[in-house]
PDB file of all heavy atoms in Angstrom:
ATOM      1  N   TYR A 538     -21.223  11.737  13.835  1.00 82.00           N
ATOM      2  CA  TYR A 538     -20.888  11.443  15.221  1.00 82.00           C
ATOM      3  C   TYR A 538     -22.081  11.768  16.107  1.00 82.00           C
ATOM      4  O   TYR A 538     -22.612  12.875  16.067  1.00 82.00           O
ATOM      5  CB  TYR A 538     -19.692  12.277  15.699  1.00 82.00           C
ATOM      6  CG  TYR A 538     -18.413  11.948  15.003  1.00 82.00           C
ATOM      7  CD1 TYR A 538     -17.898  12.783  14.022  1.00 82.00           C
ATOM      8  CD2 TYR A 538     -17.703  10.804  15.327  1.00 82.00           C
ATOM      9  CE1 TYR A 538     -16.712  12.491  13.384  1.00 82.00           C
ATOM     10  CE2 TYR A 538     -16.517  10.490  14.685  1.00 82.00           C
ATOM     11  CZ  TYR A 538     -16.034  11.348  13.717  1.00 82.00           C
ATOM     12  OH  TYR A 538     -14.867  11.055  13.082  1.00 82.00           O
ATOM     13  N   PHE A 539     -22.485  10.782  16.887  1.00 84.00           N
ATOM     14  CA  PHE A 539     -23.553  10.976  17.855  1.00 84.00           C
ATOM     15  C   PHE A 539     -22.998  10.707  19.241  1.00 84.00           C
ATOM     16  O   PHE A 539     -22.106   9.879  19.413  1.00 84.00           O
ATOM     17  CB  PHE A 539     -24.706   9.996  17.608  1.00 84.00           C
ATOM     18  CG  PHE A 539     -25.512  10.307  16.383  1.00 84.00           C
ATOM     19  CD1 PHE A 539     -25.139   9.815  15.143  1.00 84.00           C
ATOM     20  CD2 PHE A 539     -26.652  11.080  16.477  1.00 84.00           C
ATOM     21  CE1 PHE A 539     -25.887  10.086  14.015  1.00 84.00           C
ATOM     22  CE2 PHE A 539     -27.411  11.366  15.355  1.00 84.00           C
ATOM     23  CZ  PHE A 539     -27.028  10.870  14.118  1.00 84.00           C
ATOM     24  N   GLN A 540     -23.516  11.417  20.220  1.00 85.00           N
ATOM     25  CA  GLN A 540     -23.219  11.108  21.614  1.00 85.00           C
ATOM     26  C   GLN A 540     -24.543  10.887  22.311  1.00 85.00           C
ATOM     27  O   GLN A 540     -25.531  11.568  22.015  1.00 85.00           O
ATOM     28  CB  GLN A 540     -22.484  12.253  22.310  1.00 85.00           C
ATOM     29  CG  GLN A 540     -21.011  12.205  22.139  1.00 85.00           C
ATOM     30  CD  GLN A 540     -20.308  13.243  23.011  1.00 85.00           C
ATOM     31  OE1 GLN A 540     -20.903  14.199  23.474  1.00 85.00           O
ATOM     32  NE2 GLN A 540     -19.025  13.036  23.215  1.00 85.00           N
ATOM     33  N   ARG A 542     -26.651  11.442  25.398  1.00 86.00           N
ATOM     34  CA  ARG A 542     -26.669  12.416  26.489  1.00 86.00           C
ATOM     35  C   ARG A 542     -28.011  12.345  27.195  1.00 86.00           C
ATOM     36  O   ARG A 542     -29.030  12.040  26.600  1.00 86.00           O
ATOM     37  CB  ARG A 542     -26.460  13.825  25.938  1.00 86.00           C
ATOM     38  CG  ARG A 542     -25.125  14.010  25.257  1.00 86.00           C
ATOM     39  CD  ARG A 542     -25.022  15.378  24.660  1.00 86.00           C
ATOM     40  NE  ARG A 542     -23.696  15.610  24.101  1.00 86.00           N
ATOM     41  CZ  ARG A 542     -23.391  16.659  23.375  1.00 86.00           C
ATOM     42  NH1 ARG A 542     -24.300  17.574  23.093  1.00 86.00           N
ATOM     43  NH2 ARG A 542     -22.174  16.806  22.907  1.00 86.00           N
ATOM     44  N   GLU A 551     -30.655  10.245  25.077  1.00 90.00           N
ATOM     45  CA  GLU A 551     -30.939  10.436  23.655  1.00 90.00           C
ATOM     46  C   GLU A 551     -29.639  10.588  22.879  1.00 90.00           C
ATOM     47  O   GLU A 551     -28.693  11.190  23.357  1.00 90.00           O
ATOM     48  CB  GLU A 551     -31.792  11.689  23.454  1.00 90.00           C
ATOM     49  CG  GLU A 551     -33.122  11.641  24.175  1.00 90.00           C
ATOM     50  CD  GLU A 551     -33.862  12.968  24.168  1.00 90.00           C
ATOM     51  OE1 GLU A 551     -33.309  13.963  23.665  1.00 90.00           O
ATOM     52  OE2 GLU A 551     -34.992  12.990  24.670  1.00 90.00           O
ATOM     53  N   GLY A 552     -29.646  10.057  21.653  1.00 87.00           N
ATOM     54  CA  GLY A 552     -28.509  10.257  20.763  1.00 87.00           C
ATOM     55  C   GLY A 552     -28.587  11.644  20.167  1.00 87.00           C
ATOM     56  O   GLY A 552     -29.619  12.047  19.649  1.00 87.00           O
ATOM     57  N   GLU A 553     -27.493  12.375  20.261  1.00 86.00           N
ATOM     58  CA  GLU A 553     -27.473  13.747  19.738  1.00 86.00           C
ATOM     59  C   GLU A 553     -26.350  13.888  18.721  1.00 86.00           C
ATOM     60  O   GLU A 553     -25.208  13.529  18.992  1.00 86.00           O
ATOM     61  CB  GLU A 553     -27.265  14.731  20.888  1.00 86.00           C
ATOM     62  CG  GLU A 553     -27.427  16.162  20.491  1.00 86.00           C
ATOM     63  CD  GLU A 553     -27.434  17.099  21.700  1.00 86.00           C
ATOM     64  OE1 GLU A 553     -27.893  16.694  22.773  1.00 86.00           O
ATOM     65  OE2 GLU A 553     -26.959  18.229  21.532  1.00 86.00           O
ATOM     66  N   LEU A 554     -26.701  14.400  17.536  1.00 86.00           N
ATOM     67  CA  LEU A 554     -25.704  14.621  16.493  1.00 86.00           C
ATOM     68  C   LEU A 554     -24.770  15.734  16.937  1.00 86.00           C
ATOM     69  O   LEU A 554     -25.207  16.827  17.279  1.00 86.00           O
ATOM     70  CB  LEU A 554     -26.385  15.009  15.180  1.00 86.00           C
ATOM     71  CG  LEU A 554     -25.466  15.335  14.008  1.00 86.00           C
ATOM     72  CD1 LEU A 554     -24.709  14.089  13.565  1.00 86.00           C
ATOM     73  CD2 LEU A 554     -26.261  15.906  12.849  1.00 86.00           C
ATOM     74  N   ILE A 555     -23.457  15.440  16.951  1.00 87.00           N
ATOM     75  CA  ILE A 555     -22.499  16.475  17.358  1.00 87.00           C
ATOM     76  C   ILE A 555     -21.515  16.831  16.247  1.00 87.00           C
ATOM     77  O   ILE A 555     -20.816  17.823  16.351  1.00 87.00           O
ATOM     78  CB  ILE A 555     -21.735  16.074  18.639  1.00 87.00           C
ATOM     79  CG1 ILE A 555     -20.921  14.810  18.425  1.00 87.00           C
ATOM     80  CG2 ILE A 555     -22.691  15.925  19.807  1.00 87.00           C
ATOM     81  CD1 ILE A 555     -19.972  14.509  19.557  1.00 87.00           C
ATOM     82  N   GLU A 569     -20.794  22.742  19.532  1.00 84.00           N
ATOM     83  CA  GLU A 569     -19.970  21.598  19.928  1.00 84.00           C
ATOM     84  C   GLU A 569     -18.500  21.956  19.798  1.00 84.00           C
ATOM     85  O   GLU A 569     -18.134  22.894  19.096  1.00 84.00           O
ATOM     86  CB  GLU A 569     -20.284  20.370  19.063  1.00 84.00           C
ATOM     87  CG  GLU A 569     -21.710  19.917  19.119  1.00 84.00           C
ATOM     88  CD  GLU A 569     -22.143  19.449  20.497  1.00 84.00           C
ATOM     89  OE1 GLU A 569     -21.296  19.127  21.359  1.00 84.00           O
ATOM     90  OE2 GLU A 569     -23.362  19.383  20.727  1.00 84.00           O
TER      91      GLU A 569
END
Side-chain angles (χ1 to χ4, degrees):
Y538 294 104
F539 288 87
Q540 273 188 341
R542 298 176 175 171
E551 300 170 356
E553 188 171 328
L554 177 66
I555 62 170
E569 301 297 341

